[in-house]
Amino acid sequence: MTYIIRSGFAGGIAGCVAKTSVAPLDRVRILFQTSNPQFTKYTKSWVGFAQALRDIYGRDGMKGIFRGHSATLLKIYPYAAINFVAHEQYRALIICSKSQETWIRRFSAGASAGVTSVFLLYPLDIIRVRLAFETKSRTSSLVEICRRIYHEQLLSNSAPVVSGSTSGVIKDVALAATPRTGVINFYRGFSMTILGMVPYAGMSFMTHDVVGDLLRQPSVQKYTILAQPANAPSDKPAPLRAWAELTSGGVSGAVSQTVSYPLEVIRRRMQVGGAVGDGHRLGIGETAGVIFKERGISGFFVGLYIGYVKVVPMVAISFYTYERMKSFLGI
């Protein structure tokens, strides 16, 4: 139990430090991914990110750049804590010995940890995206956003129906039997999130472990590893130097971001479904179809370069902080 508490504390600190460092990038990326009407024009050039950031700052100041970050901090500490702790537990369960450290087992441990943390904390992600999506002169508070999401009535069909007709009666009955408001609204896009989290978390942890192994090879270890701390567990590999640990995390972030990004774009569009359009609830296939119709294949990778700028240092800092906190805490 002490190990779990210490590991969770280390993971939470790592998540907060990493996420705060890239908060402005996250705000712009969400606006790009969700095709916010005021920022679509910036997605067509490489300098669009800087222009969008300048636009936000000119309109709302520093507060606008960090909009939605309060919800991020509410989420990221428990998310990172659960994610790292769950990974340690799944890893111990799936990989019982050194000989069993195959790539598929490493991937499975990481994917299982990611799914566990997302399942428990998904509503906070919805709130964060909706806060970041707003660009009006008067923005909503955290409580207002939660109330609005809860009471949103998403229609199952956007086509108008003549009042009093047979089809209108059938639709009224169908809508009465379908959950239209409530807690279910905080899980909009959840299925897409799970689909995206499996490759993202799986590739993230697996790549970090594989690159870490390569950097600990006898031929390079005199340049890459530090002396083992006196209080370190006997079965723990030697810690990497700062540059090596950051490199391992950075490569991990780049690989996982590339593999999972199209699924993330679909998820973001589903999450803002109640804030744009006519309220029609779009499924995964419909959302993907809308994105493809708008911009083709490139629509699934809009803002990816921001993703690299954001995720690579964020994951690098996250793994580095986590590993250093583990050494400090003797776990």
Side-chain angles (χ1 to χ4, degrees):
M1 180 59 72
T2 301
Y3 175 85
I4 293 177
I5 293 174
R6 288 183 176 183
S7 183
F9 175 73
I13 293 296
C16 288
V17 171
K19 202 67 175 180
T20 300
S21 66
V22 296
L25 301 175
D26 210 22
R27 174 81 202 279
V28 176
R29 189 174 66 142
I30 288 174
L31 292 169
F32 282 9
Q33 288 177 332
T34 54
S35 292
N36 185 287
Q38 297 182 39
F39 288 84
T40 302
K41 59 187 175 184
Y42 297 129
T43 65
K44 300 177 182 179
S45 69
W46 288 97
V47 297
F49 163 72
Q51 293 173 327
L53 202 59
R54 184 178 58 189
D55 189 341
I56 296 170
Y57 183 80
R59 182 180 311 176
D60 302 316
M62 191 60 67
K63 182 180 179 181
I65 292 176
F66 283 88
R67 176 153 183 78
H69 192 54
S70 57
T72 299
L73 292 179
L74 282 174
K75 170 196 170 185
I76 195 60
Y77 188 95
Y79 172 83
I82 293 171
N83 195 32
F84 280 111
V85 169
H87 177 253
E88 298 281 0
Q89 301 306 307
Y90 283 122
R91 181 181 172 85
L93 182 65
I94 296 173
I95 305 174
C96 301
S97 64
K98 190 69 175 177
S99 62
Q100 293 183 332
E101 288 206 44
T102 61
W103 71 267
I104 188 64
R105 288 177 183 270
R106 285 174 164 174
F107 179 91
S108 298
S112 298
V115 170
T116 299
S117 55
V118 165
F119 178 77
L120 295 174
L121 297 167
Y122 186 77
L124 289 174
D125 194 39
I126 287 282
I127 297 168
R128 177 175 68 95
V129 171
R130 291 293 293 273
L131 282 169
F133 180 76
E134 286 196 348
T135 56
K136 297 177 294 186
S137 57
R138 182 190 180 278
T139 53
S140 305
S141 67
L142 185 62
V143 174
E144 288 173 331
I145 282 288
C146 291
R147 185 182 297 116
R148 189 175 304 143
I149 294 172
Y150 184 87
H151 290 292
E152 279 172 358
Q153 299 185 4
L154 298 184
L155 305 179
S156 60
N157 193 330
S158 59
V161 178
V162 178
S163 177
S165 65
T166 302
S167 58
V169 174
I170 294 174
K171 180 179 178 180
D172 289 341
V173 173
L175 287 176
T178 303
R180 299 166 64 191
T181 63
V183 176
I184 191 172
N185 286 343
F186 289 93
Y187 281 86
R188 188 176 302 129
F190 179 70
S191 57
M192 195 69 246
T193 301
I194 293 298
L195 289 177
M197 182 52 65
V198 169
Y200 179 83
M203 292 300 295
S204 180
F205 281 107
M206 186 195 76
T207 305
H208 176 263
D209 288 350
V210 170
V211 174
D213 287 348
L214 292 175
L215 291 173
R216 290 185 177 91
Q217 291 296 309
S219 58
V220 297
Q221 64 178 214
K222 66 179 181 179
Y223 307 109
T224 60
I225 67 172
L226 298 169
Q228 189 73 281
N231 61 346
S234 59
D235 58 343
K236 181 182 178 180
L240 294 171
R241 295 180 183 272
W243 73 265
E245 186 61 62
L246 290 170
T247 298
S248 178
V251 172
S252 168
V255 171
S256 59
Q257 182 70 15
T258 303
V259 170
S260 65
Y261 198 79
L263 298 174
E264 184 178 350
V265 171
I266 296 173
R267 173 169 65 101
R268 295 301 190 200
R269 290 293 290 270
M270 293 176 72
Q271 287 178 330
V272 299
V276 296
D278 56 10
H280 181 201
R281 187 191 298 272
L282 296 179
I284 295 173
E286 290 176 297
T287 304
V290 169
I291 295 171
F292 184 79
K293 184 177 179 180
E294 289 176 353
R295 304 191 61 172
I297 294 296
S298 64
F300 295 96
F301 294 92
V302 62
L304 178 59
Y305 68 94
I306 302 178
Y308 287 139
V309 175
K310 169 206 168 185
V311 171
V312 170
M314 184 187 74
V315 177
I317 293 170
S318 181
F319 273 115
Y320 173 81
T321 305
Y322 180 64
E323 292 298 332
R324 289 298 186 265
M325 287 297 295
K326 284 174 64 179
S327 296
F328 175 74
L329 295 171
I331 58 175

